[in-house]
Amino acid sequence: MSTILPAEECGETPLRRQPTQRRSARRVERMLDACAELLDEIGYEALSTTRIAERAGVAIGSVYQFFPDKRAVAQAVTRRHVEGFVSRIGARFLAEDYGGWWDAVDAIIDEYVEMNRTVPGFRSLHFGDVVDLNMLDPVADNNTVIAGRLRGLLLQEYGLADSEEFDLAILIAVEAGDAVLKLAFRRDADGDPAVIAEAKRLIRGYLNRQFARASAS
């Protein structure tokens, strides 16, 4: 029934091989950190595996040991952004009491805004759409993958009725929110507060109408 991919169906890892030792895993993390920093400093077009290796303090062969090219490194950074985003939202859901799904939606937007402000590479890549609309999955576009993750969180926390209509509503909310929040950061490097507030009102209003329609049918 669902048209949105759950987490376990979101494509293959961009790694050529998984690091099996702690030392190798730390080296890969340094490469991802270096890539994220460079994306904010010089952008994707000027990014190269040589620059990633130099910033990470590793040999260029170490980069190619795990990644075939710069796109794969950026893809791994994007996946880290997604996992961090979902994890941080999940932590908020556990730590804070919300009056309902509408407050949870506000929290999701607040987390997106915070990551834009503080997480290296996020404002340059977001969820990979800047580089490739299929950065996260070869079949589903990036926002469809994100919608699937948020859909799972909302279903789990609020027991909303699962349906194709619910899937479509979440996907449209993600697409609309993504566009308006990007506008907020184009207008102001820290995110224009007025536009962020409008994004919350827009998504709340849209989802409220869709959920009310689903409940009535």
Side-chain angles (χ1 to χ4, degrees), residues 7 10 14 21 24 41 50 56 64 93 101 103 115 136 141 153 158 172:
C10 293
Q21 299 178 339
S24 297
E41 293 172 16
T50 300
Y64 289 123
F93 282 10
W101 63 262
D103 289 333
M115 288 184 72
L136 293 169
D141 65 57
L153 284 171
Y158 296 100
I172 290 173

Side-chain angles (χ1 to χ4, degrees), residues 148-179:
R149 302 300 295 270
L150 296 182
R151 166 187 171 276
L153 284 171
L154 290 170
L155 286 173
Q156 180 180 344
E157 289 295 322
Y158 296 100
L160 299 168
D162 192 9
S163 66
E164 290 184 2
E165 290 76 13
F166 178 79
D167 279 5
L168 182 60
I170 295 298
L171 179 57
I172 290 173
V174 167
E175 290 283 357
D178 183 48

Side-chain angles (χ1 to χ4, degrees), residues 196-209:
I196 292 169
E198 285 302 311
K200 290 181 177 180
R201 277 193 283 270
L202 174 72
I203 295 170
R204 270 192 181 205
Y206 169 73
L207 288 178
N208 190 50
R209 289 192 298 274

Side-chain angles (χ1 to χ4, degrees), residues 32-48 51-52 54-56 119-125:
L32 300 186
D33 291 343
C35 179
E37 292 168 3
L38 288 166
L39 283 165
D40 284 344
E41 293 172 16
I42 63 175
Y44 183 76
E45 291 304 318
L47 184 70
S48 68
R51 282 178 160 164
I52 292 169
E54 289 173 352
R55 177 63 63 90
V119 175
F122 191 83
R123 63 183 170 88
S124 300
L125 275 180

